Amino acid sequence: MRKLPALLIGLALACMPAASIALDPEDALHQHVRGSWSIQEGLPQISAIAITQDRDGYVWVGTQAGLARFDGVRFTAYTPESTPGLAGMFVRSLHTGRDGRIWIGTYKGVTVRDRSGFTHVPVADPTRFPSIDVAAIAEGASGTIWVAASEGLFRVEDGRLHHVEGSPSPAASLLPQRSGLLVGGRSAVHYRTASGWQRSALPTEAENAAVNRLVRTQGRLWAATAFGLYHYDAATGWQAFEAPQLRATPLELLYPDSDGNLWVGGDTGMARIRDGRLAEFVPADGPGGIQGARVAYEDREGSLWVGSQWEGLTRLWDSWVQRFSVAEGLDERIVWSVSPDPDGRRIWTGTNDGLSVLEGGRYRTVVPGTRLPHPQGYNLLAEDDRIWVGTRRGLVIVRPQPDGSARVEQPAFLAPLAGLQINGIVREGDAYWIPTSDGLFALRGERLQRYGKDEGLTDARVRYLHLADDGRLLVGTQSGLYERRGERFVEIGEDRGLPPNLDVTSIVTLDGGQMVLGTLGERIHFFDGRRWIEFDEPHGMPRNSPFFLAHHDGYIWATGIRGITRAPLADLRAFAAGRIKRVRGEMLLNERGDPMSGQQGYCCNGAGTSKGFLRDGTLWLPSRDGVVAMDTDAIVKNRTVPHAVVERVQVEDRWQPAVAIAGETLPAGARDLSFEFTVLSFQDPKSVGIEYRLVGYDREWRQADPFNRSARYTNLPPGDYAFEVRGANNAGVATAKAARLAFSVQPRFHETALFYALSVLLLATLVYAGYRLQQHRYRARQRELENLVQQRTEALEIANHRLEEASQTDPLTALRNRRYMANQIPADLAYYDRQRQQATRPDDAMVFALVDIDFFKAVNDNHGHRAGDRVLQQFAQVLGRLVRSGDYVVRWGGEEFLVVFRPMPTRNLTMIGDRIRAAVAEHEFDVGTGTPLRLTCSTGLAEYPLFRDHRTQLGWETMVELADQALYYVKSHGRDGWAAFRPTPTTDITTLLQELQQGADAVIEEGRLQLLGTKTDAAAVDDH
């Protein structure tokens, strides 16, 4: 027994970190780019228990309801019913072997998947082991496949599972070694060598704990157990890890990535261990937390996939930006301005509610918005002993105190600025320049001087001010660009090609008298020293309204509401000189998540002189979610070469794996073919470029929709073909070679050369008879072809109708789905608008009702997901009994349903809300337990049109959003009711949704919205 500690520590010393290609260890978990998938996106079930990636690049996910293959866009599900070779429904373990085969462990045995399909691996002694419950699969150094199961340890030999005598039972985890095998059992780790078994027990407090995972990394052997995290010490044996968050708690996730991080997780949260110490712990309910983390896997692109018991599948990859927001202590997400301390230690931040400071990675509030003339710290200038804070109603001076408090001063000489929006503060020597919404002001000592129309500023709405290195003072207004000349200002640029009336939002000056302007018109303008040139999308520059411009590392950086863009300055100059026709502009951070536009996230906010700064190569920018920091040196594109795959082919209405027809000759009747294919890259699937062609038919490559990776060809002539697919990832890295599927289509007899030769001979020898026969055959053939075409056309129409119906129907409830809604509702609204124009029933309105089952999660938790499905089906039936002919019910997602009522008198709105509420409350839901279940629902209603004189400004998506806001109001006021919002004469359509998202109570209290429903007198309820 004394040999085991030496063996374990010797094996652990072999574990050293690999090259850095994984998640940046300096970034907190919530800072990583994140993608999530669950049943709504096609995952068979919400529990992702096992993950692996095959040689092609597919990610495979094991769930409690089958196996799923994922290409970044589409899940393909496999169950024992659809795939007889799959041993069981509950997939608990996955392993990709060195030979490319995928080993699948289920609660009923083992299956192996190769190019030919799925094959069940039988137990060598089925009498003794009729079925095994697999917990883990691993591959030894010699290629032996080991299987840990409740019944003990098994090895695969001659295509069968052989029990290893003397192995621990149950066996929960595996870790192959060069000279043996580590097996995690109950309360101990067992080591198998050629001479037999040795046992190393866990401490007494974990005497009944299962060892769920074993890894060796960071110079240690680690064990995730049902009683916490342990590591092995040569002198003292197994020791509990020092972090209290990882003690006495069940852990199932234990994974070392290629950057030396050790990820540990369970129901309480996820931890990252670095160099043997806890680097980060994220509670499951904290910022960036993952509920019920069970498994992790690093793919070939360096992304970390995390499987959850409750939240499906999550993918994390390195972000180019860090975001300092609520998780870092900021009490208001919306940020308007940033300004660094002169010593660089702190970053002052103007928010929607005052002034905060970032120091040591954490925020604290310095001045709440109630102490400012206006709550928004719109522009800032930080100096050694004070911070100038410009608001939308004047300027104040904030003086930080040694105890952390601050004194707010508004001296009398600043009184002329009261009520004005302060668009910046720029220091020039002992003077301060202050652009405002009504003129430019200069503060010299305690004397404030205004510059306006009389001083040459024909537009006094000054948005931006730039003090160049050569002393020039440039002024950007809402109607053009000006330059200081003595005590006057002169408009410049129009004589050199600058368009008139530009709303200038930012300025940066360059060497040689060159300059770049940003405008509210989503363009930048470049002055090359002789003339102005405009850049927008046709010239290669992404559209953006730059609130901040910077020149750094050879690039012009532009940040605005759409995101962060950059373009090489050399390209701007080459374009101006006529040497190139497009610049290499690119979007690096994009708010909308557009394809080929970098990472998605909020950025950037406001206008003025403190809308960003550059320090040590990092851009600091205000946004609608905290402060964004982009390290310009950390922008690393995806260099992983993607792999193209032709997945399957539909031949004569039957789908077959592509490998099944490779090199084959298809029947003469196989003239209509469909192909499904993919290009495997997961960082940004919407930006994956995919092209395909059918060699022998297509002359050029065709572009595929990244979300619809399929193609269809009809009426193909006979001949030799090859279907090819190629593509590129989100960084433009192309596939090494195109995927190619070669096949032939057999000709019909009448399409062969033999047929034509016999026909000519027959015509030559039997002229008259041949002529009559040919006429007869021609007529017969014509009828045959007409019948065939008719049959094919009818079959195609039927198939297309079935496909269309299936794509627009929810399979669980048989209700219509979102796709049906998106296709149908525009036509309904257009018809209704025409009816209103004819004034047949001008007071009628369509009603959108968004209905959510209250506390539905409790149904799943208490009765199981099958009971939850039954509730959803019965709930759909209840709603179906409430609608009329012409109304329709849509399953909107999860436990949410959308009911669209055709036009009715607006006075019926109350009746609809009450009927829905009563129908659900009175229904007895059968969940299969024998005891009826009573449920309630919350309903949000919205009438169309909302504004009788502005109906064309609100589409159906906005109506659903309004119904959702009303639903949220009911949810936050006690549930079991309904609510609807109606406009008042003071309702502002342009800001309505944004104000509702910040809370409906304030809008209702101020009379800018009328509330109808059962919750008109209810107070908000905390549902936590």
PDB file of all heavy atoms in Angstrom, residues 1 159 222 225 282 398 473 520 545 599 614 677 716 720 757 889 898 913 924 944:
ATOM      1  N   MET A   1       0.812  -1.203   0.000  1.00  0.00           N
ATOM      2  CA  MET A   1       0.000   0.000   0.000  1.00  0.00           C
ATOM      3  C   MET A   1       0.850   1.260   0.000  1.00  0.00           C
ATOM      4  O   MET A   1       0.415   2.324  -0.420  1.00  0.00           O
ATOM      5  CB  MET A   1      -0.930   0.022   1.225  1.00  0.00           C
ATOM      6  CG  MET A   1      -2.022  -1.009   1.174  1.00  0.00           C
ATOM      7  SD  MET A   1      -3.135  -0.748  -0.229  1.00  0.00           S
ATOM      8  CE  MET A   1      -3.861   0.791   0.247  1.00  0.00           C
ATOM      9  N   GLY A 159     -14.499  -6.275 -29.534  1.00  0.00           N
ATOM     10  CA  GLY A 159     -15.841  -5.727 -29.750  1.00  0.00           C
ATOM     11  C   GLY A 159     -16.817  -6.005 -28.639  1.00  0.00           C
ATOM     12  O   GLY A 159     -18.024  -5.787 -28.807  1.00  0.00           O
ATOM     13  N   TRP A 222      -5.973  15.609  -8.835  1.00  0.00           N
ATOM     14  CA  TRP A 222      -7.173  16.225  -8.272  1.00  0.00           C
ATOM     15  C   TRP A 222      -8.354  15.250  -8.368  1.00  0.00           C
ATOM     16  O   TRP A 222      -8.444  14.469  -9.319  1.00  0.00           O
ATOM     17  CB  TRP A 222      -7.541  17.504  -9.025  1.00  0.00           C
ATOM     18  CG  TRP A 222      -6.462  18.541  -9.051  1.00  0.00           C
ATOM     19  CD1 TRP A 222      -5.394  18.590  -9.881  1.00  0.00           C
ATOM     20  CD2 TRP A 222      -6.365  19.689  -8.202  1.00  0.00           C
ATOM     21  NE1 TRP A 222      -4.618  19.692  -9.625  1.00  0.00           N
ATOM     22  CE2 TRP A 222      -5.198  20.394  -8.592  1.00  0.00           C
ATOM     23  CE3 TRP A 222      -7.141  20.195  -7.164  1.00  0.00           C
ATOM     24  CZ2 TRP A 222      -4.795  21.570  -7.973  1.00  0.00           C
ATOM     25  CZ3 TRP A 222      -6.746  21.370  -6.545  1.00  0.00           C
ATOM     26  CH2 TRP A 222      -5.573  22.051  -6.944  1.00  0.00           C
ATOM     27  N   THR A 225     -15.344  15.212  -5.887  1.00  0.00           N
ATOM     28  CA  THR A 225     -16.139  14.198  -5.210  1.00  0.00           C
ATOM     29  C   THR A 225     -17.496  14.752  -4.820  1.00  0.00           C
ATOM     30  O   THR A 225     -17.772  15.944  -4.963  1.00  0.00           O
ATOM     31  CB  THR A 225     -15.415  13.699  -3.947  1.00  0.00           C
ATOM     32  OG1 THR A 225     -15.576  14.673  -2.896  1.00  0.00           O
ATOM     33  CG2 THR A 225     -13.931  13.480  -4.199  1.00  0.00           C
ATOM     34  N   VAL A 282     -17.287  31.718  -9.039  1.00  0.00           N
ATOM     35  CA  VAL A 282     -18.497  32.399  -9.483  1.00  0.00           C
ATOM     36  C   VAL A 282     -19.701  31.609  -8.983  1.00  0.00           C
ATOM     37  O   VAL A 282     -19.942  30.487  -9.447  1.00  0.00           O
ATOM     38  CB  VAL A 282     -18.542  32.516 -11.018  1.00  0.00           C
ATOM     39  CG1 VAL A 282     -19.811  33.242 -11.445  1.00  0.00           C
ATOM     40  CG2 VAL A 282     -17.312  33.232 -11.539  1.00  0.00           C
ATOM     41  N   VAL A 398     -16.652  68.903  -8.440  1.00  0.00           N
ATOM     42  CA  VAL A 398     -16.660  67.907  -7.371  1.00  0.00           C
ATOM     43  C   VAL A 398     -15.253  67.806  -6.806  1.00  0.00           C
ATOM     44  O   VAL A 398     -14.292  67.595  -7.554  1.00  0.00           O
ATOM     45  CB  VAL A 398     -17.138  66.535  -7.890  1.00  0.00           C
ATOM     46  CG1 VAL A 398     -16.993  65.477  -6.799  1.00  0.00           C
ATOM     47  CG2 VAL A 398     -18.584  66.617  -8.357  1.00  0.00           C
ATOM     48  N   LEU A 473      -7.804  75.379 -32.263  1.00  0.00           N
ATOM     49  CA  LEU A 473      -9.009  74.989 -31.552  1.00  0.00           C
ATOM     50  C   LEU A 473     -10.101  74.751 -32.590  1.00  0.00           C
ATOM     51  O   LEU A 473     -10.526  75.672 -33.282  1.00  0.00           O
ATOM     52  CB  LEU A 473      -9.447  76.075 -30.565  1.00  0.00           C
ATOM     53  CG  LEU A 473     -10.625  75.705 -29.653  1.00  0.00           C
ATOM     54  CD1 LEU A 473     -10.248  74.555 -28.717  1.00  0.00           C
ATOM     55  CD2 LEU A 473     -11.098  76.914 -28.851  1.00  0.00           C
ATOM     56  N   LEU A 520     -22.841  62.480 -37.163  1.00  0.00           N
ATOM     57  CA  LEU A 520     -24.036  61.741 -36.765  1.00  0.00           C
ATOM     58  C   LEU A 520     -24.661  61.003 -37.946  1.00  0.00           C
ATOM     59  O   LEU A 520     -25.537  60.159 -37.767  1.00  0.00           O
ATOM     60  CB  LEU A 520     -25.050  62.707 -36.146  1.00  0.00           C
ATOM     61  CG  LEU A 520     -26.061  62.106 -35.165  1.00  0.00           C
ATOM     62  CD1 LEU A 520     -25.351  61.479 -33.984  1.00  0.00           C
ATOM     63  CD2 LEU A 520     -27.032  63.172 -34.687  1.00  0.00           C
ATOM     64  N   SER A 545     -21.739  56.091 -36.128  1.00  0.00           N
ATOM     65  CA  SER A 545     -21.695  57.520 -35.800  1.00  0.00           C
ATOM     66  C   SER A 545     -20.651  57.694 -34.708  1.00  0.00           C
ATOM     67  O   SER A 545     -20.940  57.502 -33.524  1.00  0.00           O
ATOM     68  CB  SER A 545     -23.063  58.010 -35.307  1.00  0.00           C
ATOM     69  OG  SER A 545     -24.030  57.908 -36.322  1.00  0.00           O
ATOM     70  N   GLN A 599     -17.311  40.842 -32.055  1.00  0.00           N
ATOM     71  CA  GLN A 599     -18.074  40.332 -30.936  1.00  0.00           C
ATOM     72  C   GLN A 599     -19.271  41.235 -30.647  1.00  0.00           C
ATOM     73  O   GLN A 599     -19.287  42.392 -31.019  1.00  0.00           O
ATOM     74  CB  GLN A 599     -17.166  40.218 -29.709  1.00  0.00           C
ATOM     75  CG  GLN A 599     -16.020  39.234 -29.932  1.00  0.00           C
ATOM     76  CD  GLN A 599     -14.992  39.263 -28.834  1.00  0.00           C
ATOM     77  OE1 GLN A 599     -15.074  40.068 -27.916  1.00  0.00           O
ATOM     78  NE2 GLN A 599     -13.999  38.394 -28.923  1.00  0.00           N
ATOM     79  N   LEU A 614      -7.782  56.782 -24.662  1.00  0.00           N
ATOM     80  CA  LEU A 614      -6.844  55.702 -24.974  1.00  0.00           C
ATOM     81  C   LEU A 614      -5.683  55.800 -24.003  1.00  0.00           C
ATOM     82  O   LEU A 614      -5.045  56.848 -23.885  1.00  0.00           O
ATOM     83  CB  LEU A 614      -6.357  55.833 -26.415  1.00  0.00           C
ATOM     84  CG  LEU A 614      -5.348  54.805 -26.908  1.00  0.00           C
ATOM     85  CD1 LEU A 614      -5.990  53.433 -27.026  1.00  0.00           C
ATOM     86  CD2 LEU A 614      -4.794  55.224 -28.264  1.00  0.00           C
ATOM     87  N   PHE A 677     -25.480  20.201 -45.575  1.00  0.00           N
ATOM     88  CA  PHE A 677     -24.031  20.327 -45.446  1.00  0.00           C
ATOM     89  C   PHE A 677     -23.722  21.337 -44.357  1.00  0.00           C
ATOM     90  O   PHE A 677     -24.615  22.018 -43.830  1.00  0.00           O
ATOM     91  CB  PHE A 677     -23.416  20.773 -46.776  1.00  0.00           C
ATOM     92  CG  PHE A 677     -24.121  21.960 -47.390  1.00  0.00           C
ATOM     93  CD1 PHE A 677     -23.782  23.260 -47.045  1.00  0.00           C
ATOM     94  CD2 PHE A 677     -25.149  21.763 -48.316  1.00  0.00           C
ATOM     95  CE1 PHE A 677     -24.436  24.338 -47.597  1.00  0.00           C
ATOM     96  CE2 PHE A 677     -25.810  22.846 -48.883  1.00  0.00           C
ATOM     97  CZ  PHE A 677     -25.455  24.141 -48.518  1.00  0.00           C
ATOM     98  N   LEU A 716     -32.686  17.057 -62.664  1.00  0.00           N
ATOM     99  CA  LEU A 716     -31.303  16.928 -63.127  1.00  0.00           C
ATOM    100  C   LEU A 716     -31.238  15.977 -64.317  1.00  0.00           C
ATOM    101  O   LEU A 716     -31.876  14.920 -64.317  1.00  0.00           O
ATOM    102  CB  LEU A 716     -30.414  16.396 -61.999  1.00  0.00           C
ATOM    103  CG  LEU A 716     -30.130  17.335 -60.832  1.00  0.00           C
ATOM    104  CD1 LEU A 716     -29.351  16.595 -59.752  1.00  0.00           C
ATOM    105  CD2 LEU A 716     -29.364  18.565 -61.297  1.00  0.00           C
ATOM    106  N   ASP A 720     -22.504  12.526 -64.701  1.00  0.00           N
ATOM    107  CA  ASP A 720     -21.609  12.452 -63.551  1.00  0.00           C
ATOM    108  C   ASP A 720     -21.595  13.802 -62.838  1.00  0.00           C
ATOM    109  O   ASP A 720     -21.438  14.855 -63.470  1.00  0.00           O
ATOM    110  CB  ASP A 720     -20.187  12.093 -64.001  1.00  0.00           C
ATOM    111  CG  ASP A 720     -20.131  10.717 -64.663  1.00  0.00           C
ATOM    112  OD1 ASP A 720     -20.900   9.835 -64.235  1.00  0.00           O
ATOM    113  OD2 ASP A 720     -19.331  10.546 -65.601  1.00  0.00           O
ATOM    114  N   ALA A 757     -29.464   5.042 -81.708  1.00  0.00           N
ATOM    115  CA  ALA A 757     -28.970   4.283 -82.860  1.00  0.00           C
ATOM    116  C   ALA A 757     -30.039   3.334 -83.396  1.00  0.00           C
ATOM    117  O   ALA A 757     -30.231   3.213 -84.617  1.00  0.00           O
ATOM    118  CB  ALA A 757     -27.714   3.509 -82.465  1.00  0.00           C
ATOM    119  N   VAL A 889     -53.793  30.970 -31.851  1.00  0.00           N
ATOM    120  CA  VAL A 889     -52.960  30.824 -30.666  1.00  0.00           C
ATOM    121  C   VAL A 889     -51.585  30.337 -31.119  1.00  0.00           C
ATOM    122  O   VAL A 889     -51.476  29.407 -31.912  1.00  0.00           O
ATOM    123  CB  VAL A 889     -53.567  29.819 -29.673  1.00  0.00           C
ATOM    124  CG1 VAL A 889     -52.743  29.782 -28.394  1.00  0.00           C
ATOM    125  CG2 VAL A 889     -55.010  30.185 -29.376  1.00  0.00           C
ATOM    126  N   LEU A 898     -48.915  33.190 -27.207  1.00  0.00           N
ATOM    127  CA  LEU A 898     -49.404  34.441 -27.775  1.00  0.00           C
ATOM    128  C   LEU A 898     -50.739  34.172 -28.469  1.00  0.00           C
ATOM    129  O   LEU A 898     -50.846  33.282 -29.314  1.00  0.00           O
ATOM    130  CB  LEU A 898     -48.395  35.005 -28.781  1.00  0.00           C
ATOM    131  CG  LEU A 898     -48.793  36.321 -29.440  1.00  0.00           C
ATOM    132  CD1 LEU A 898     -48.849  37.436 -28.405  1.00  0.00           C
ATOM    133  CD2 LEU A 898     -47.820  36.676 -30.548  1.00  0.00           C
ATOM    134  N   GLY A 913     -59.186  39.826 -20.988  1.00  0.00           N
ATOM    135  CA  GLY A 913     -58.270  39.550 -19.888  1.00  0.00           C
ATOM    136  C   GLY A 913     -58.918  38.701 -18.815  1.00  0.00           C
ATOM    137  O   GLY A 913     -58.318  37.756 -18.302  1.00  0.00           O
ATOM    138  N   GLU A 924     -58.787  22.224 -14.220  1.00  0.00           N
ATOM    139  CA  GLU A 924     -58.049  21.249 -13.418  1.00  0.00           C
ATOM    140  C   GLU A 924     -57.063  20.533 -14.333  1.00  0.00           C
ATOM    141  O   GLU A 924     -57.458  19.791 -15.229  1.00  0.00           O
ATOM    142  CB  GLU A 924     -59.005  20.257 -12.771  1.00  0.00           C
ATOM    143  CG  GLU A 924     -59.945  20.902 -11.752  1.00  0.00           C
ATOM    144  CD  GLU A 924     -60.836  19.868 -11.081  1.00  0.00           C
ATOM    145  OE1 GLU A 924     -60.907  18.723 -11.584  1.00  0.00           O
ATOM    146  OE2 GLU A 924     -61.455  20.184 -10.044  1.00  0.00           O
ATOM    147  N   TYR A 944     -53.934  46.906 -31.189  1.00  0.00           N
ATOM    148  CA  TYR A 944     -53.424  47.447 -32.446  1.00  0.00           C
ATOM    149  C   TYR A 944     -54.573  48.088 -33.226  1.00  0.00           C
ATOM    150  O   TYR A 944     -55.601  47.447 -33.444  1.00  0.00           O
ATOM    151  CB  TYR A 944     -52.800  46.335 -33.299  1.00  0.00           C
ATOM    152  CG  TYR A 944     -52.278  46.846 -34.631  1.00  0.00           C
ATOM    153  CD1 TYR A 944     -50.986  47.350 -34.730  1.00  0.00           C
ATOM    154  CD2 TYR A 944     -53.087  46.843 -35.765  1.00  0.00           C
ATOM    155  CE1 TYR A 944     -50.512  47.833 -35.941  1.00  0.00           C
ATOM    156  CE2 TYR A 944     -52.624  47.335 -36.967  1.00  0.00           C
ATOM    157  CZ  TYR A 944     -51.331  47.828 -37.056  1.00  0.00           C
ATOM    158  OH  TYR A 944     -50.844  48.308 -38.242  1.00  0.00           O
TER     159      TYR A 944
END
